[in-house]
Amino acid sequence: MKILEGLYYSKNHEWVKVEGDKAYVGITDFAQHSLGDIVYAELPEIGTVLSAGDTLGTVESVKAASDVYCPISGKVVEVNQSVADDPSLLNSDPYENWMICVEMNDKGELDQLMSPEEYRDFCN
């Protein structure tokens, strides 16, 4: 299982990469591996306002459908259309292929997320 340094992780197996006031959100390697071959990804529209814990979309695999949760509050300012068009990108490289980018409301919410070390322990 691949866990990258420099990211924040949620208990629902999403990752957050912070760049200034923006946060890129995707699913972890653990999540994509658990789901199997991902065949569909539903993402929100730009301008959608999400609170931490809200469903940001859905991913479907040959095994199951799973909600994806937004680990941080903010307004969706970018959606990765490549992932919507080819959801298998989440399997090939889940950390390179983010799902949404939000303009964060409260950077303090990052303190509620796990470090790479904490996430590794959580998954074990």
Side-chain angles (χ1 to χ4, degrees), residues 40-89:
Y40 177 75
E42 178 187 1
L43 303 176
E45 293 184 18
I46 290 174
T48 302
V49 176
L50 298 167
S51 294
D54 284 355
T55 301
L56 71 83
T58 305
V59 289
E60 293 180 15
S61 70
V62 293
K63 288 198 246 181
S66 181
D67 286 337
V68 179
Y69 301 96
C70 194
I72 194 147
S73 301
K75 181 169 84 172
V76 178
V77 292
E78 292 179 63
V79 173
N80 191 341
Q81 193 58 46
S82 297
V83 165
D85 294 342
D86 183 5
S88 69
L89 292 171

Side-chain angles (χ1 to χ4, degrees), residues 15 25-29 31-33 35-36 38 40-43 58-60 68 80 82-84 86-99:
W15 57 263
V25 179
I27 63 170
T28 65
D29 190 45
Q32 73 80 20
H33 184 71
L35 283 165
I38 298 172
Y40 177 75
E42 178 187 1
L43 303 176
T58 305
V59 289
E60 293 180 15
V68 179
N80 191 341
S82 297
V83 165
D86 183 5
S88 69
L89 292 171
L90 296 171
N91 291 119
S92 58
D93 193 343
Y95 295 111
E96 186 64 31
N97 294 291
W98 52 274
M99 297 176 75

